[in-house]
Amino acid sequence: MQVTPQIYCVYVYCAEKKHHEEWAKHHQIIKGVFTDIETICDALRRDVRRVNNDLIPISILQSTSSDQFDQLFACSLILKEFLINSACEQQEKNNFMKFCRSQHRGNSYQSNIIKKYQAKPKKLTPIQWYTRECFLYSMLNRALRLYDIEILTQIKFFVQEVNEQIQKIYSQSDQQHPQTVYHGQNITNDLLSKLQKNKKSLIS
């Protein structure tokens, strides 16, 4: 099987699973052999989420020019302040939900989640909504990755809700015994090499 950079993974849909598993196991790019639509859809949703997670940008603030370094750092701080502290208008939220419905038109799974979120947003906590297999996770990560200010302006209400919950959890935690948390993400060899060469640089 010829592999190209544009192909991330392959799923085999067939009627004879055992037969095709024999040759499929020799190709690492093949993620599985499936005989029904439901299981292949579950695998696709799981892998799409992992790919979206891996696409979260990692920026290494390195520069021989202190002026350029300060500008890069300042931009990241300005974006953070904008998302966390700027006022939210109900119309922005309405526009975002309208945009989400248009983006997922024809996708009954996501459209149903959007309806549930609009009807009862407090049914789950902001963190639970974000970590759920739904439109909020993919839309927010994509906007952050592309620095899409238009989408970030509309979704900042949700960023603020997540931030408020994190702050609340932190205030209730044991400050004398802080916990260490980890974030797993696949990265390219080139990015790994850059990280190793810039151990004392700022990473965002």
Side-chain angles (χ1 to χ4, degrees):
M1 177 180 292
Q2 184 177 2
V3 179
T4 66
Q6 291 80 12
I7 301 177
Y8 186 83
C9 53
V10 174
Y11 305 83
V12 178
Y13 180 59
C14 62
E16 299 180 11
K17 182 175 181 178
K18 188 174 181 180
H19 170 72
H20 291 286
E21 280 181 332
E22 287 299 317
W23 64 266
K25 65 183 180 182
H26 299 293
H27 301 278
Q28 188 175 3
I29 196 172
I30 296 179
K31 299 302 181 181
V33 179
F34 306 88
T35 56
D36 66 273
I37 293 296
E38 188 63 31
T39 54
I40 198 171
C41 286
D42 289 341
L44 279 167
R45 281 193 289 265
R46 181 182 63 250
D47 290 340
V48 165
R49 181 178 178 83
R50 188 180 70 248
V51 171
N52 285 334
N53 179 71
D54 293 343
L55 290 176
I56 295 175
I58 297 177
S59 300
I60 303 173
L61 303 182
Q62 55 171 331
S63 177
T64 56
S65 168
S66 59
D67 291 338
Q68 183 179 355
F69 179 86
D70 291 340
Q71 290 173 8
L72 290 170
F73 189 61
C75 286
S76 64
L77 289 179
I78 291 171
L79 178 60
K80 175 187 173 183
E81 289 299 315
F82 166 74
L83 292 175
I84 299 301
N85 297 319
S86 60
C88 291
E89 301 291 340
Q90 181 61 37
Q91 187 58 42
E92 293 173 348
K93 183 175 181 179
N94 294 339
N95 290 341
F96 176 70
M97 301 310 300
K98 182 178 179 180
F99 176 76
C100 289
R101 288 194 299 270
S102 67
Q103 289 294 301
H104 294 91
R105 186 177 293 113
N107 185 332
S108 58
Y109 177 79
Q110 291 294 344
S111 295
N112 187 45
I113 294 177
I114 293 172
K115 290 179 181 178
K116 289 181 179 179
Y117 179 77
Q118 282 190 283
K120 296 181 179 180
K122 303 300 182 182
K123 185 176 182 179
L124 299 176
T125 67
I127 291 177
Q128 287 175 326
W129 276 114
Y130 177 68
T131 55
R132 185 178 179 179
E133 298 282 349
C134 74
F135 66 102
L136 288 166
Y137 179 88
S138 58
M139 295 290 289
L140 177 55
N141 285 356
R142 184 177 185 277
L144 289 171
R145 184 171 71 250
L146 300 177
Y147 288 91
D148 190 327
I149 300 301
E150 182 178 358
I151 299 301
L152 289 173
T153 299
Q154 296 177 20
I155 202 175
K156 69 178 185 287
F157 74 90
F158 182 70
V159 175
Q160 292 177 10
E161 290 175 355
V162 172
N163 180 67
E164 288 174 4
Q165 186 182 359
I166 292 174
Q167 294 288 352
K168 183 178 180 180
I169 293 172
Y170 176 75
S171 66
Q172 296 172 347
S173 63
D174 185 355
Q175 304 298 319
Q176 300 299 321
H177 301 88
Q179 292 182 328
T180 301
V181 296
Y182 298 90
H183 169 74
Q185 180 173 344
N186 291 324
I187 60 175
T188 63
N189 289 332
D190 289 341
L191 181 54
L192 177 60
S193 178
K194 289 181 181 179
L195 288 171
Q196 292 172 333
K197 293 177 181 178
N198 296 276
K199 292 182 179 180
K200 294 185 179 181
S201 298
L202 289 175
I203 299 174
S204 65

